[in-house]
Structures are given as C-alpha cells and as structure tokens.
C-alpha cells in the first residue's frame, strides 16, 4: 500500500510520540527515571512533577500492531504459556520483551524504575503489572480506583484516592526520583491540561457538523494521542490542540470532511455512525477504508474517551489538584458501569444525529466487550436507530477477518438505508 496521507496535526502528533520514545530510550544517558503506567487513569502531570518519563505498554502494543510486529510477539507469549484468551496487548508486550524489547525508534527500552498502577476499570492491568514486576523487580505503586458500580462516584471514593496519593503514591515517587513534591508545579501542569482539554472537546464535538470535519474513531485515535499519553500537562499539548482546532475549523469553513489515508477530503458522507469499542490496529488502514469507501463517517466514539471523559464536563482543576486527579481516574470510560455506558452512547446518537451504533467487539478485551450486546439492544430501543456488531481484535492479526467485517458492514449500511426508506414512506 502507498504511504498513508496524514492531516498536518497527525504529523505533529507523530513527532510528539517519537520524541517521548527518544526520551525513554535515552533515559540511562540523561539520568531521568522511567515509569511504566497505563492510559486510563494515568497520572502524567504528577509524574512530570518528579521529572519521571511516562512509558505506556498499551501504546507500545498499538505501535507494534500497526507495524505488523505484534502477531509474532503474541505467538511467542502463547508458546510460553499465556492463554489464547489473554488480552493481546499483554501478550504483545510480553512477546516483545523476549525479542530484545525494542522501541519503535529501534533502540531498546530501559527497564522501568517504577511501575505506577493507577488503572481504572480493567482487572487485566493488575495481572499485567504482576508479570512486569516479576520481570523487572522494580518498585510498584498501586493507586486503587474504586469502580463506579452505582453509576456515580462518591465523596468517600474521592477521599480514598486522595489519601492514597498523599500517603503512598507521592512519597513513593519522591523516593524513586529523589525529587521533593511541589504542589504548585502540579497546579501549573493541571492548568495546562485544562487548556488542552478544552480544545480537544471542541474538536470532538465538531462531529455534529454535516459533513463532519472529523472522523471521531479512525481520525480520533490520532487526536487523542498527545493527551492520553505523555503530553497532558505540557505546553506541547496546548500547542498541539490549538493547531488541531485551527485545522478542523478550516475544514468546517470549507464544508470539508476529514482527509482519508488516500489524501482526499471525505465530503460525501452517507452514513453517520457512533462506534463503541477499540479499533483493530493490525489492519487499521484496511478497516478504515471499509468505512469511507461506503460513505460511512464516525461522528462519535467511546474509544476516544478511555483516557478521560472531558466531553461530559470534567477538567483537571489546579485549585483542587489531588481531588481533580481522583475525579479524573474515577470518570474514565472503562470505570463506568454498563447502564452509564448505554446513557452515554444513546446521548451520542441523539446529539450527533447518528444513523446508528456500531460495536467493534474485541475478542480479548473483557473490559469493553462484557455486556456489549445488552448495550446495543438498549441503545436501539431508546433511540430507534439500528445497531450492528462486528468482531475483531486489538493487535492479533489472526482475528481480523477482512471479508467477514466487510460483509457485515455492507449489510449494516443496507439496513440503515432500508430504515430510512421505511421512515420516509411512513412520513
Ligand atoms: S483487557 Fe482491554 S482494557 Fe484491559 S488492558 Fe486489555 S485492552 Fe486494555
């Protein structure tokens, strides 16, 4: 396939991510400490207060998936005893370690100085870090984030997280880094975060336009890159989201859709979809093409909310720094119960005037997949819009069947068409 065409902001995003990989792989020369941590509920601003670099194993697995390396890594991990049902991000990570632990810049990852487990909603994260802890034998700091089982957080939950931050996480990071915690520095970083979050929300909400100037799933994964990884809290993230906003505004002014990987603006949008679940990474471009070839644009998605539900109003708050970190962790999408996810998706269908809900059910991700059929039926019932279900995997190429996915998508678009004709006849 030819080189993928990218929007200018995508190139900027790529440069930021590359810069973080360089910081990680040169950490032994620069003397900086490295933390492994996860995307949902990450404490990037806090790590920055200690000068610690953020390395995210999920993002490494995504990179390996897109570079077509993950398939072999997963097979290696299975040969060493990890079951077929284990999350393929975990197996891609474990397999990579057995083959030199090479970062996307071609240099080896250093062993982490600390494992910071501030995960939200997915038990796999804990098992994953148990494996890494056995391998690296470095200090492990665990921030336990209570699940929002009743659909909301409570003051007790918030206090519980703040107490752990004060008594476990901050002293632990001080010890690893040798740097004294400065709450005013945290406030400054959180102020930066809130600015970038404002612009990210603005961008994602432009999916309400017709034609939509963004693809909120395939394009969306690029847009969330800096803020969900190592750049939330930095001025780089503020600059990135300002530039992205300007770029999207330019498309709105010209009534243009997003740029497809083939380099043309996707203006002829026939179907507007809300998508639930992570994308497939090993055939990302092929998967995306199946949508724009049929005129389907994604106007909102749940995956672009795994690292924070800013569109529901949350912002990091410099006036309540630790409490705001607690609220952030509690509110990530994967920490929300199923009825809340139904509410969110039904709201997206209405507000973004979507034609329906498409679920990409990921074979090995229990955190997303559990309850998705119920979610689909509930959303259909509430909105009257048809839903559909496809099945792929994150980074295991064995579970991306292009023909099956394409067939299902085509039938779904026909179903939307029939539903439209039915409603215009009735009217
Ligand atoms: S099971 Fe899903 S949410 Fe959990 S680590 Fe794997 S991909 Fe992430």
């Amino acid at each position: 396939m030819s080189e993928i065409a990218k929007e200018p902001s995508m190139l900027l995003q790529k440069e930021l991510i590359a810069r973080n990989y360089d910081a990680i792989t040169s950490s032994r020369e620069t003397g900086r400490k490295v933390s492994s941590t996860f995307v949902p509920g990450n404490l990037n601003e806090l790590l920055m207060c200690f000068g610690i670099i953020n390395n995210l194993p999920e993002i490494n697995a995504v990179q390996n998936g897109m570079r077509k390396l993950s398939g072999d890594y997963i097979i290696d991990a299975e040969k060493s005893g990890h079951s077929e049902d284990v999350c393929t991000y975990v197996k891609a990570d474990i397999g990579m370690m057995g083959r030199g632990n090479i970062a996307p810049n071609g240099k080896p990852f250093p062993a982490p100085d600390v494992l910071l487990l501030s995960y939200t909603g997915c038990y796999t994260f804990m098992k994953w870090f148990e494996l890494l802890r056995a391998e690296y034998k470095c200090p492990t700091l665990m921030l336990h984030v209570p699940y929002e089982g009743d659909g909301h957080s409570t003051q007790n939950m918030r206090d519980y997280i703040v107490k752990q931050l004060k008594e476990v996480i901050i002293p632990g990071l001080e010890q690893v880094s040798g740097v004294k915690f400065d709450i005013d520095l945290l406030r400054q970083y959180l102020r930066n975060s809130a600015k970038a979050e404002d612009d990210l929300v603005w961008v994602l909400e432009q999916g309400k336009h017709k034609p939509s100037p963004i693809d909120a799933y395939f394009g969306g994964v690029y847009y969330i890159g800096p803020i969900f990884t190592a750049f939330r809290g930095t001025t780089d993230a503020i600059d990135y989201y300002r530039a992205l906003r300007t770029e999207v505004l330019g498309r709105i002014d010209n009534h243009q859709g997003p740029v497809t990987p083939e380099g043309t603006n996707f203006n002829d949008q026939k179907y507007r979809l809300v998508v639930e679940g992570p994308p497939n990474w090993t055939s990302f471009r092929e998967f995306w093409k199946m949508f724009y070839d049929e005129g389907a644009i994604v106007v909102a998605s749940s995956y672009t909310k795994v690292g924070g539900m800013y569109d529901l109003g949350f912002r990091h708050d410099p006036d309540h720094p630790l409490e705001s970190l607690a609220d952030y962790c509690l509110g990530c999408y994967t920490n929300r119960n199923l009825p809340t996810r139904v509410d969110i998706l039904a709201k997206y269908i209405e507000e973004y005037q979507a034609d329906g809900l498409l679920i990409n059910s990921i074979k090995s991700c229990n955190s997303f997949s559990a309850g998705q059929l119920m979610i689909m039926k509930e959303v259909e019932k509430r909105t009257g819009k048809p839903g559909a279900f496809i099945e792929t995997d994150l980074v295991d190429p064995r579970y991306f069947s292009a023909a099956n996915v394409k067939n299902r998508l085509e039938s779904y678009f026909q179903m939307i068409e029939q539903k439209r004709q039915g409603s215009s006849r009735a009217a």
Side-chain angles (χ1 to χ4, degrees):
M1 269 191 186
S2 57
E3 181 64 18
I4 188 165
K6 291 198 166 81
E7 295 162 3
S9 63
M10 291 177 179
L11 297 172
L12 192 54
Q13 182 263 13
K14 199 175 162 196
E15 192 188 303
L16 289 174
I17 305 286
R19 204 191 310 156
N20 193 52
Y21 277 119
D22 288 340
I24 295 168
T25 56
S26 62
S27 61
R28 292 300 168 253
E29 293 96 79
T30 59
R32 292 184 67 187
K33 303 291 182 193
V34 175
S35 160
S36 281
T37 196
F38 294 112
V39 172
N42 77 73
L43 301 174
N44 197 52
E45 300 90 342
L46 193 61
L47 286 169
M48 283 165 58
C49 289
F50 301 96
I52 299 176
I53 311 168
N54 174 343
N55 184 17
L56 299 135
E58 297 142 287
I59 303 298
N60 302 339
V62 169
Q63 295 281 339
N64 286 330
M66 290 183 109
R67 287 157 200 253
K68 315 260 184 226
L69 297 169
S70 54
D72 288 343
Y73 295 164
I74 289 167
I75 288 170
D76 286 356
E78 287 179 0
K79 280 188 190 148
S80 69
H82 295 278
S83 132
E84 252 193 60
D85 296 326
V86 169
C87 166
T88 50
Y89 278 174
V90 180
K91 287 187 288 188
D93 192 36
I94 300 293
M96 178 179 75
M97 283 159 58
R99 293 198 185 205
N101 221 10
I102 303 298
N105 62 4
K107 298 177 183 162
F109 279 113
D113 297 288
V114 60
L115 301 174
L116 175 58
L117 182 54
S118 56
Y119 79 107
T120 59
C122 174
Y123 188 65
T124 300
F125 286 126
M126 203 156 86
K127 306 313 283 177
W128 191 346
F129 263 13
E130 280 176 11
L131 294 167
L132 297 195
R133 188 175 57 177
E135 174 73 22
Y136 293 118
K137 301 179 179 56
C138 63
T140 307
L141 298 171
M142 173 157 171
L143 177 71
H144 180 227
V145 177
Y147 185 64
E148 289 197 350
D150 293 333
H152 57 85
S153 60
T154 63
Q155 188 59 39
N156 267 349
M157 292 177 177
R158 193 189 208 205
D159 293 346
Y160 174 54
I161 298 175
V162 170
K163 186 172 158 44
Q164 295 174 75
L165 288 170
K166 285 183 180 162
E167 295 178 3
V168 180
I169 305 297
I170 292 173
L173 294 175
E174 282 181 328
Q175 203 170 12
V176 167
S177 65
V179 174
K180 188 102 191 78
F181 176 55
D182 174 355
I183 199 155
D184 289 326
L185 194 55
L186 179 61
R187 288 182 206 279
Q188 178 53 45
Y189 292 147
L190 297 179
R191 202 167 286 119
N192 291 346
S193 298
K195 280 190 197 149
E197 287 157 4
D198 279 345
D199 280 338
L200 170 68
V201 170
W202 184 90
V203 166
L204 293 178
E205 290 190 338
Q206 302 319 302
K208 291 175 185 169
H209 281 270
K210 290 182 184 176
S212 171
I214 62 163
D215 183 288
Y217 191 52
F218 298 102
V221 299
Y222 290 91
Y223 304 157
I224 58 176
I227 213 160
F228 281 15
T229 60
F231 295 92
R232 204 184 61 229
T234 65
T235 50
D236 284 331
I238 297 179
D239 295 344
Y240 168 80
Y241 286 100
R242 193 34 62 121
L244 175 61
R245 183 175 175 146
T246 306
E247 181 181 294
V248 172
L249 190 58
R251 291 204 290 270
I252 295 171
D253 289 345
N254 293 316
H255 301 283
Q256 284 179 325
V259 179
T260 69
E262 284 160 35
T264 48
N265 282 94
F266 177 22
N267 301 336
D268 185 17
Q269 301 173 3
K270 287 197 275 187
Y271 310 109
R272 296 168 60 84
L273 305 180
V274 171
V275 174
E276 148 76 8
N280 163 271
W281 300 107
T282 47
S283 300
F284 185 80
R285 184 172 168 186
E286 191 183 356
F287 192 27
W288 189 353
K289 186 171 165 54
M290 289 178 194
F291 286 70
Y292 62 77
D293 274 356
E294 294 291 329
I297 184 96
V298 181
V299 290
S301 71
S302 55
Y303 185 68
T304 48
K305 314 296 158 41
V306 282
M309 299 252 13
Y310 304 109
D311 62 327
L312 297 189
F314 171 78
R315 293 290 179 280
H316 283 91
D317 177 3
D319 294 330
H320 303 94
L322 299 184
E323 294 76 6
S324 138
L325 290 179
D327 291 343
Y328 160 68
C329 291
L330 284 163
C332 288
Y333 186 76
T334 46
N335 206 44
R336 308 242 177 184
N337 71 1
L338 298 185
T340 310
R341 295 185 199 192
V342 169
D343 291 345
I344 291 169
L345 294 166
K347 178 169 134 48
Y348 287 163
I349 300 264
E350 302 292 352
E351 289 184 355
Y352 288 77
Q353 296 182 43
D355 295 300
L357 173 70
L358 176 73
I359 294 186
N360 182 30
S361 186
I362 295 293
K363 179 193 168 288
S364 65
C365 174
N366 292 331
S367 183
F368 265 98
S369 307
Q372 276 179 330
L373 266 177
M374 178 285 287
I375 289 178
M376 188 180 85
K377 292 205 159 71
E378 254 325 288
V379 172
E380 279 183 327
K381 199 158 78 187
R382 279 203 213 169
T383 62
K385 299 285 166 67
F389 210 81
I390 51 174
E391 288 167 283
T392 71
D393 189 61
L394 299 159
V395 289
D396 189 339
R398 294 172 299 182
Y399 295 99
F400 185 83
S401 165
N404 275 346
V405 173
K406 199 168 178 344
N407 272 344
R408 287 214 190 175
L409 286 176
E410 284 169 5
S411 325
Y412 182 44
F413 300 140
Q414 277 169 16
M415 197 204 298
I416 293 176
E417 212 51 82
Q418 278 162 6
K419 187 115 187 158
R420 274 183 189 160
Q421 282 166 13
S423 9
S424 60
R425 269 199 296 273

